[in-house]
Amino acid sequence: MPKEKKKKPEWYPLDNAGVLYSAIQKETYSAIYRFSALMTERVDPAALQRAVDKTMPRFPSFAVRIKKGAFWYYCEPNDAPGPFLKKDIANPCQPVRFREDNGWLVRFYYYEKRISIEVFHAISDGGGTLVLFKTLLAVYLRELGHVIPNTCGILDVNESPRREEREDAYARYAGKKVLRNPLGGKAYPNTGTPEPFYTLNVTMGFLPLNRLRAKAKEYGASITEYLTAVLLKVLIDKQHREAPRKELPVALAIPINLRGWFPSETLRNFILTVRPCIDPSLGSYTFEEILGRVHHYLRLNINRQQMRAMLTGNVRFTTNKLLRVIPVVLKDPVMALSYHLAGVRPYSGTYTNPGPFPVPEEMAPHIQRMEVILGQATLPRVHCASISYGNQMEITFAGTLAEAETERDFFRFLVQAGIPVKVESNRLARSDLIF
């Protein structure tokens, strides 16, 4: 009887964001992010592992490993055992190591009442991962005997995955016009004393969403605009206290979820970054002036035409004929240098706000709050992320910077603005403190 040929695994190219994150990943940089749900009851690890096993087949774009080809990195299905649920670790968002954990790029953790997911940014952005996480939480609660409907973005794990969920939406919407925008100049780096490897300092602030929304509304701003302005303000003031010979611009990387502008069901990456910036060398700015500039900048630069031209430029970079024939061992250093010049040097930090985490009313009583953490930057500095659930906004500062001045000044500003903040941090011997 003739021997059956072994079927070659299906593979597909990474999107342009995935190509970048795969090329620049190293021990001193973690393109890993984490979402956590603090449940009302202690986690049942056996039920949670069953939920993982039932949920993952519905999300094939997460069940992959990344392979290094001769010219590009690419994805192929990962049929190795896993991913396995683990007890949580002291330092989250460890850098990805392609040969560890059977090549899995998604991790699941639990500790007491907390359930966490960590994902390598090359395979998905926060918008895609939140769909997976919400579905997992629903399946877990069903394993405990609760009836949870497939609403509010929860996918049916008994349905076959849709091809649209794996599409490269960047390639789909790339046009002909490229936005020729020069690289931003060097920004205030907001660095300091690096912690020993690998120590990720995490500080979380919890505040009432209605109070935060009301304060932003006083200025005619959105919550994202308000918090962006607060972070810019504290960084401007921090640089001024350091009294440099010349003050540099202070700029933030603000990721924008493109799904609201370009319809797509993709669970892969589909974001772009905008750069609100204040140049204090031009003179002093009041908070109202900073917020006004942020408000108008974001509303002027976040539009369908400009974002399409931006993503077209990114897609053309990865489809460049000359670049395609350069071996990956030579391409990686070029990509790393490009990322430093375009993704690190022009920014003082990152602030990302994926927005609210809505769930069905049957699910809401089982979740106390949501949390988000970004992994370590290429420099010893902090990144900021936030997520809301119900009437609670959670804001996290995380990084390998020993000093805590940025997060302290940020939460102090909110308290002085009349917004109560409860702070928890792994920096503190006593974690529950009121600013």
Side-chain angles (χ1 to χ4, degrees):
M1 192 171 177
K3 198 174 183 180
E4 275 191 27
K5 285 186 179 179
K6 189 175 180 183
K7 189 179 178 183
K8 287 186 178 180
E10 179 188 3
W11 70 275
Y12 57 89
L14 291 159
D15 54 50
N16 61 274
V19 167
L20 174 65
Y21 286 119
S22 297
I24 65 176
Q25 178 61 47
K26 54 185 178 180
E27 284 291 310
T28 55
Y29 171 64
S30 175
I32 295 278
Y33 55 89
R34 165 185 284 222
F35 289 108
S36 300
L38 189 67
M39 313 300 286
T40 54
E41 301 291 337
R42 195 176 185 90
V43 175
D44 180 338
L48 184 54
Q49 181 64 66
R50 292 196 302 272
V52 170
D53 295 339
K54 290 182 178 181
T55 303
M56 285 301 292
R58 179 62 182 78
F59 293 85
S61 60
F62 288 84
V64 297
R65 58 162 58 92
I66 289 179
K67 306 282 284 188
K68 181 188 284 190
F71 300 102
W72 287 110
Y73 292 89
Y74 63 92
C75 277
E76 68 176 24
N78 191 347
D79 55 3
F84 297 115
L85 179 65
K86 300 178 181 178
K87 284 190 175 181
D88 214 345
I89 54 178
N91 283 304
C93 300
Q94 291 276 333
V96 68
R97 301 168 182 100
F98 294 127
R99 296 184 180 180
E100 289 186 1
D101 292 330
N102 287 336
W104 286 96
L105 304 171
V106 55
R107 308 163 180 163
F108 299 99
Y109 296 98
Y110 75 96
Y111 177 72
E112 294 184 349
K113 298 180 179 181
R114 182 175 284 106
I115 298 173
S116 301
I117 183 174
E118 292 185 355
V119 173
F120 182 37
H121 215 321
I123 61 172
S124 183
D125 58 25
T129 295
L130 282 173
V131 176
L132 166 59
F133 193 40
K134 187 183 298 184
T135 302
L136 171 70
L137 294 175
V139 175
Y140 167 67
L141 290 171
R142 289 172 193 151
E143 287 294 308
L144 298 180
H146 303 290
V147 177
I148 308 295
N150 291 315
T151 57
C152 297
I154 296 168
L155 299 187
D156 186 347
V157 294
N158 295 315
E159 286 184 351
S160 298
R162 292 189 293 273
R163 192 170 189 83
E164 293 81 4
E165 295 164 359
R166 290 175 57 186
E167 78 165 340
D168 182 349
Y170 293 113
R172 175 185 172 188
Y173 283 106
K176 296 180 179 179
K177 179 68 176 177
V178 174
L179 185 66
R180 302 199 178 278
N181 192 21
L183 295 177
K186 182 180 180 181
Y188 169 60
N190 192 34
T191 58
T193 309
E195 290 280 23
F197 180 88
Y198 170 88
T199 304
L200 189 72
N201 289 321
V202 179
T203 300
M204 295 181 176
F206 302 91
L207 48 151
L209 184 63
N210 59 343
R211 298 279 289 273
L212 177 62
R213 185 183 291 114
K215 179 57 65 173
K217 192 174 180 180
E218 288 180 15
Y219 295 93
S222 70
I223 287 175
T224 296
E225 291 166 351
Y226 179 78
L227 293 177
T228 298
V230 173
L231 185 51
L232 285 170
K233 169 65 174 171
V234 301
L235 291 178
I236 290 168
D237 291 347
K238 181 174 179 285
Q239 180 181 213
H240 187 69
R241 291 194 300 270
E242 293 168 358
R245 185 175 59 84
K246 180 184 177 182
E247 292 191 354
L248 294 171
V250 175
L252 295 176
I254 309 293
I256 304 300
N257 184 349
L258 296 178
R259 294 169 181 84
W261 300 90
F262 304 96
S264 174
E265 293 182 48
T266 187
L267 298 176
R268 297 169 67 187
N269 287 297
F270 199 33
I271 56 172
L272 283 176
T273 299
V274 294
R275 181 181 180 263
C277 177
I278 302 292
D279 187 355
S281 68
L282 301 177
S284 61
Y285 289 82
T286 65
F287 175 71
E288 289 79 4
E289 289 171 331
I290 294 171
L291 181 51
R293 287 180 63 87
V294 168
H295 171 82
H296 293 295
Y297 173 87
L298 293 181
R299 302 198 181 197
L300 179 65
N301 288 276
I302 301 175
N303 60 76
R304 184 169 50 84
Q305 295 80 5
Q306 188 165 320
M307 289 188 292
R308 187 178 188 188
M310 288 173 64
L311 72 86
T312 299
N314 294 343
V315 170
R316 285 196 184 176
F317 176 76
T318 55
T319 57
N320 181 282
K321 291 182 179 179
L322 178 61
L323 192 64
R324 288 172 72 93
V325 299
I326 298 175
V328 72
V329 293
L330 301 178
K331 202 176 295 175
D332 282 356
V334 174
M335 299 282 281
L337 176 62
S338 298
Y339 178 71
H340 177 76
L341 294 176
V344 178
R345 194 171 181 267
Y347 300 100
S348 308
T350 295
Y351 169 56
T352 181
N353 178 23
F357 187 76
V359 298
E361 61 180 19
E362 296 89 341
M363 194 169 168
H366 304 287
I367 301 175
Q368 289 187 51
R369 72 187 191 206
M370 293 295 299
E371 301 167 354
V372 58
I373 301 175
L374 297 183
Q376 70 176 28
T378 54
L379 300 175
R381 65 184 179 196
V382 291
H383 285 323
C384 182
S386 63
I387 189 169
S388 63
Y389 175 72
N391 190 41
Q392 186 175 74
M393 171 67 84
E394 187 276 327
I395 304 172
T396 302
F397 285 86
T400 54
L401 182 64
E403 292 81 13
E405 198 172 353
T406 301
E407 48 265 55
R408 185 193 65 215
D409 292 348
F410 181 90
F411 290 127
R412 182 174 290 166
F413 184 100
L414 294 179
V415 170
Q416 291 174 347
I419 304 169
V421 180
K422 178 183 177 182
V423 173
E424 298 179 5
S425 177
N426 63 1
R427 291 175 177 271
L428 307 171
R430 187 168 63 86
S431 61
D432 290 350
L433 298 178
I434 304 296
F435 257 60

PDB file of all heavy atoms in Angstrom, residues 267-281:
ATOM      1  N   LEU A 267      -9.062  39.346  13.331  1.00  0.00           N
ATOM      2  CA  LEU A 267      -8.592  39.224  14.710  1.00  0.00           C
ATOM      3  C   LEU A 267      -7.084  39.373  14.775  1.00  0.00           C
ATOM      4  O   LEU A 267      -6.484  39.186  15.839  1.00  0.00           O
ATOM      5  CB  LEU A 267      -9.020  37.867  15.294  1.00  0.00           C
ATOM      6  CG  LEU A 267     -10.534  37.639  15.367  1.00  0.00           C
ATOM      7  CD1 LEU A 267     -10.833  36.233  15.870  1.00  0.00           C
ATOM      8  CD2 LEU A 267     -11.189  38.673  16.280  1.00  0.00           C
ATOM      9  N   ARG A 268      -6.480  39.702  13.645  1.00  0.00           N
ATOM     10  CA  ARG A 268      -5.046  39.963  13.590  1.00  0.00           C
ATOM     11  C   ARG A 268      -4.818  41.453  13.848  1.00  0.00           C
ATOM     12  O   ARG A 268      -5.709  42.165  14.294  1.00  0.00           O
ATOM     13  CB  ARG A 268      -4.492  39.519  12.245  1.00  0.00           C
ATOM     14  CG  ARG A 268      -4.634  38.012  12.017  1.00  0.00           C
ATOM     15  CD  ARG A 268      -4.338  37.618  10.591  1.00  0.00           C
ATOM     16  NE  ARG A 268      -2.940  37.833  10.242  1.00  0.00           N
ATOM     17  CZ  ARG A 268      -2.458  37.689   9.004  1.00  0.00           C
ATOM     18  NH1 ARG A 268      -3.265  37.342   8.011  1.00  0.00           N
ATOM     19  NH2 ARG A 268      -1.171  37.899   8.762  1.00  0.00           N
ATOM     20  N   ASN A 269      -3.626  41.946  13.587  1.00  0.00           N
ATOM     21  CA  ASN A 269      -3.324  43.357  13.813  1.00  0.00           C
ATOM     22  C   ASN A 269      -4.069  44.237  12.825  1.00  0.00           C
ATOM     23  O   ASN A 269      -4.137  43.939  11.620  1.00  0.00           O
ATOM     24  CB  ASN A 269      -1.816  43.596  13.654  1.00  0.00           C
ATOM     25  CG  ASN A 269      -1.007  43.057  14.807  1.00  0.00           C
ATOM     26  OD1 ASN A 269      -1.158  43.504  15.941  1.00  0.00           O
ATOM     27  ND2 ASN A 269      -0.160  42.073  14.545  1.00  0.00           N
ATOM     28  N   PHE A 270      -4.622  45.331  13.326  1.00  0.00           N
ATOM     29  CA  PHE A 270      -5.221  46.338  12.460  1.00  0.00           C
ATOM     30  C   PHE A 270      -5.265  47.669  13.209  1.00  0.00           C
ATOM     31  O   PHE A 270      -6.324  48.187  13.543  1.00  0.00           O
ATOM     32  CB  PHE A 270      -6.604  45.911  11.990  1.00  0.00           C
ATOM     33  CG  PHE A 270      -7.078  46.655  10.760  1.00  0.00           C
ATOM     34  CD1 PHE A 270      -6.196  47.068   9.782  1.00  0.00           C
ATOM     35  CD2 PHE A 270      -8.429  46.937  10.579  1.00  0.00           C
ATOM     36  CE1 PHE A 270      -6.628  47.744   8.651  1.00  0.00           C
ATOM     37  CE2 PHE A 270      -8.880  47.612   9.455  1.00  0.00           C
ATOM     38  CZ  PHE A 270      -7.974  48.008   8.488  1.00  0.00           C
ATOM     39  N   ILE A 271      -4.089  48.221  13.454  1.00  0.00           N
ATOM     40  CA  ILE A 271      -3.966  49.493  14.161  1.00  0.00           C
ATOM     41  C   ILE A 271      -2.935  50.373  13.457  1.00  0.00           C
ATOM     42  O   ILE A 271      -2.088  49.894  12.714  1.00  0.00           O
ATOM     43  CB  ILE A 271      -3.526  49.305  15.641  1.00  0.00           C
ATOM     44  CG1 ILE A 271      -2.209  48.526  15.716  1.00  0.00           C
ATOM     45  CG2 ILE A 271      -4.610  48.654  16.465  1.00  0.00           C
ATOM     46  CD1 ILE A 271      -1.620  48.459  17.108  1.00  0.00           C
ATOM     47  N   LEU A 272      -3.026  51.673  13.717  1.00  0.00           N
ATOM     48  CA  LEU A 272      -2.010  52.643  13.330  1.00  0.00           C
ATOM     49  C   LEU A 272      -1.739  53.540  14.535  1.00  0.00           C
ATOM     50  O   LEU A 272      -2.547  53.595  15.477  1.00  0.00           O
ATOM     51  CB  LEU A 272      -2.482  53.492  12.150  1.00  0.00           C
ATOM     52  CG  LEU A 272      -2.459  52.856  10.763  1.00  0.00           C
ATOM     53  CD1 LEU A 272      -3.056  53.826   9.744  1.00  0.00           C
ATOM     54  CD2 LEU A 272      -1.050  52.465  10.350  1.00  0.00           C
ATOM     55  N   THR A 273      -0.635  54.236  14.482  1.00  0.00           N
ATOM     56  CA  THR A 273      -0.253  55.091  15.605  1.00  0.00           C
ATOM     57  C   THR A 273      -0.205  56.548  15.181  1.00  0.00           C
ATOM     58  O   THR A 273       0.334  56.876  14.116  1.00  0.00           O
ATOM     59  CB  THR A 273       1.133  54.671  16.142  1.00  0.00           C
ATOM     60  OG1 THR A 273       1.068  53.320  16.602  1.00  0.00           O
ATOM     61  CG2 THR A 273       1.555  55.553  17.304  1.00  0.00           C
ATOM     62  N   VAL A 274      -0.775  57.424  16.010  1.00  0.00           N
ATOM     63  CA  VAL A 274      -0.665  58.867  15.796  1.00  0.00           C
ATOM     64  C   VAL A 274       0.210  59.465  16.888  1.00  0.00           C
ATOM     65  O   VAL A 274       0.456  58.835  17.925  1.00  0.00           O
ATOM     66  CB  VAL A 274      -2.046  59.545  15.761  1.00  0.00           C
ATOM     67  CG1 VAL A 274      -2.832  59.086  14.546  1.00  0.00           C
ATOM     68  CG2 VAL A 274      -2.825  59.280  17.033  1.00  0.00           C
ATOM     69  N   ARG A 275       0.689  60.696  16.676  1.00  0.00           N
ATOM     70  CA  ARG A 275       1.739  61.270  17.521  1.00  0.00           C
ATOM     71  C   ARG A 275       1.393  62.692  17.973  1.00  0.00           C
ATOM     72  O   ARG A 275       1.898  63.670  17.434  1.00  0.00           O
ATOM     73  CB  ARG A 275       3.064  61.262  16.752  1.00  0.00           C
ATOM     74  CG  ARG A 275       4.273  61.815  17.509  1.00  0.00           C
ATOM     75  CD  ARG A 275       5.516  61.764  16.619  1.00  0.00           C
ATOM     76  NE  ARG A 275       6.708  62.270  17.294  1.00  0.00           N
ATOM     77  CZ  ARG A 275       7.186  63.508  17.171  1.00  0.00           C
ATOM     78  NH1 ARG A 275       6.557  64.390  16.400  1.00  0.00           N
ATOM     79  NH2 ARG A 275       8.283  63.871  17.808  1.00  0.00           N
ATOM     80  N   PRO A 276       0.555  62.847  18.986  1.00  0.00           N
ATOM     81  CA  PRO A 276       0.371  64.189  19.551  1.00  0.00           C
ATOM     82  C   PRO A 276       1.658  64.642  20.211  1.00  0.00           C
ATOM     83  O   PRO A 276       2.324  63.865  20.902  1.00  0.00           O
ATOM     84  CB  PRO A 276      -0.751  64.000  20.566  1.00  0.00           C
ATOM     85  CG  PRO A 276      -0.730  62.550  20.897  1.00  0.00           C
ATOM     86  CD  PRO A 276      -0.264  61.841  19.674  1.00  0.00           C
ATOM     87  N   CYS A 277       2.024  65.890  20.001  1.00  0.00           N
ATOM     88  CA  CYS A 277       3.339  66.375  20.439  1.00  0.00           C
ATOM     89  C   CYS A 277       3.235  67.820  20.917  1.00  0.00           C
ATOM     90  O   CYS A 277       2.504  68.629  20.352  1.00  0.00           O
ATOM     91  CB  CYS A 277       4.320  66.265  19.263  1.00  0.00           C
ATOM     92  SG  CYS A 277       5.979  66.900  19.591  1.00  0.00           S
ATOM     93  N   ILE A 278       3.969  68.127  21.972  1.00  0.00           N
ATOM     94  CA  ILE A 278       4.080  69.491  22.491  1.00  0.00           C
ATOM     95  C   ILE A 278       5.562  69.839  22.549  1.00  0.00           C
ATOM     96  O   ILE A 278       6.377  69.062  23.069  1.00  0.00           O
ATOM     97  CB  ILE A 278       3.477  69.620  23.910  1.00  0.00           C
ATOM     98  CG1 ILE A 278       1.996  69.212  23.918  1.00  0.00           C
ATOM     99  CG2 ILE A 278       3.665  71.045  24.438  1.00  0.00           C
ATOM    100  CD1 ILE A 278       1.086  70.142  23.161  1.00  0.00           C
ATOM    101  N   ASP A 279       5.930  71.010  22.025  1.00  0.00           N
ATOM    102  CA  ASP A 279       7.331  71.455  22.054  1.00  0.00           C
ATOM    103  C   ASP A 279       7.492  72.554  23.101  1.00  0.00           C
ATOM    104  O   ASP A 279       7.183  73.712  22.851  1.00  0.00           O
ATOM    105  CB  ASP A 279       7.739  71.970  20.677  1.00  0.00           C
ATOM    106  CG  ASP A 279       9.235  72.290  20.595  1.00  0.00           C
ATOM    107  OD1 ASP A 279       9.907  72.197  21.645  1.00  0.00           O
ATOM    108  OD2 ASP A 279       9.711  72.609  19.494  1.00  0.00           O
ATOM    109  N   PRO A 280       7.990  72.200  24.307  1.00  0.00           N
ATOM    110  CA  PRO A 280       8.094  73.202  25.369  1.00  0.00           C
ATOM    111  C   PRO A 280       9.180  74.241  25.128  1.00  0.00           C
ATOM    112  O   PRO A 280       9.233  75.254  25.844  1.00  0.00           O
ATOM    113  CB  PRO A 280       8.399  72.349  26.615  1.00  0.00           C
ATOM    114  CG  PRO A 280       9.021  71.099  26.085  1.00  0.00           C
ATOM    115  CD  PRO A 280       8.405  70.865  24.743  1.00  0.00           C
ATOM    116  N   SER A 281      10.047  74.026  24.135  1.00  0.00           N
ATOM    117  CA  SER A 281      11.063  75.034  23.841  1.00  0.00           C
ATOM    118  C   SER A 281      10.446  76.295  23.253  1.00  0.00           C
ATOM    119  O   SER A 281      11.075  77.358  23.224  1.00  0.00           O
ATOM    120  CB  SER A 281      12.118  74.470  22.876  1.00  0.00           C
ATOM    121  OG  SER A 281      11.556  74.248  21.590  1.00  0.00           O
TER     122      SER A 281
END
